[in-house]
Amino acid sequence: MKMKNRVMAAFVTFGRRVRSASRNLWTRVLLISVLCLLAVLIAKVLGDFIPDGFAEIVGAESVTELLTIIANAMLAVTTFSLSVMVTIHRAVAGQWTPRAHQMLLRDTPTQTVLATFIGAYIYALASLILLSTPFFGEAEIVVLFGVTLAVIALIVAMIVRWIMHLQTWGSLEQTATAIETAAETAFRELADRPCQGANPLTPDTVIPAGAVDLLARDTGYVQAVLFEKVSADAEEERAQVYFLAPIGRFVHRGDVIGHMAGGSDGLARKIGTWITIGPSRTPDQDPRFCLIMLSEVGSKALSAGINDPGTAIDVIGRIARLIEGYSPEVDRDHTPDYSNLWAPVLDPVDLVQEPLAPLARDGAAQVEVQIVLQKRLAGLARHAPPAIADAARVLAKDALAQANAAIPGEGDRKRLAATMVSLSEIRE
């Protein structure tokens, strides 16, 4: 049983690391470069299958010219694309929120296009070098010509894709959608595996007497926890682990972030290696961070320099949609994946207050923002799980008080009062 859990833990960790590596540009560059180099070798292998006479159709000089064009063009296009990428990253950080930079770095179309350009450059360079040697015969040059045409077709397709992607990349719609998609993924994983597969840590959870404190190894944000590794290691020593610090919390070196009942000092140190603490939050296991990023986009739009209440209204709708579908309550019949681990559930008050309270404050004097905010909070009060609904009612009261104090015109205050949706439900 222990060996099975160890194998499963290794498999889950490997899948997690592969998914994390796939979001990096260098991974795609390496993969496509390897494929392009394999194409060169395939040309060498398939040369034996070319019938006599075909070698006269394509000369080495035409292949060399094509490869030279590819090498020169890809070097220039890659340099230009990188400059465009840096410009868009800076524009998004300045116009929306610096935290959105993480979403742009994970942009799949951009990474694929850049990796294709670099891979094609490596392919052309390697082919030109080999053509200057006796590596290719006349029949193999025919295959190389065909492969080069396929690479050119791929380059054209990537250029078209890149141009179409640049039409929306870095815009509000694309940036907000990318953040929302990351939040949906994180919430979906929590819905499928509450508490990341551990038991829910609630106020009723009894931590055994004599449990050893688990201390933070660094100062920063709790970015991720490899629960599968912790569970497998704890099971070997029949220990139970209780995590106190949720993903996204800022901790200082030496802070108590959990307890361990049973096990040795070596196990406590080993568990610390499976807890990632870094200088910034990441969205993988932290949907609250995505909500905060959306909130920052809306708050930035409400600043005097931008004055774009429409963006704030759009963001409020996105946040409400994400919060409404999440239930912080774990079914009692749910069987955790890791029976020897306990982890906190997301605080429903934080889910509502962290993203929406700043928008209520920054848009307190704008009646159109307040009307939409009250409508969305009323919707949460009617349709969201009880804990989320209660938090929405509390925030609605606070937001209404702030709006009445900040809105200068009596007419706007009456308009807000007249358009309140289901205010009686919010006050329950």
Side-chain angles (χ1 to χ4, degrees), residues 24 47 56 91 114 128 130 136 147 153 157 171 204 236 270 283 418 426:
N24 296 325
E56 299 177 357
L114 290 177
L128 287 172
L130 293 176
F136 285 116
V147 173
S171 65
D204 298 330
E236 289 186 353
K270 197 171 184 180
I426 297 176

Side-chain angles (χ1 to χ4, degrees), residues 144-162:
L144 184 64
F145 178 76
V147 173
T148 302
L149 292 180
V151 171
I152 293 175
L154 177 62
I155 293 171
V156 172
M158 287 298 104
I159 290 177
V160 173
R161 183 183 184 186
W162 181 232

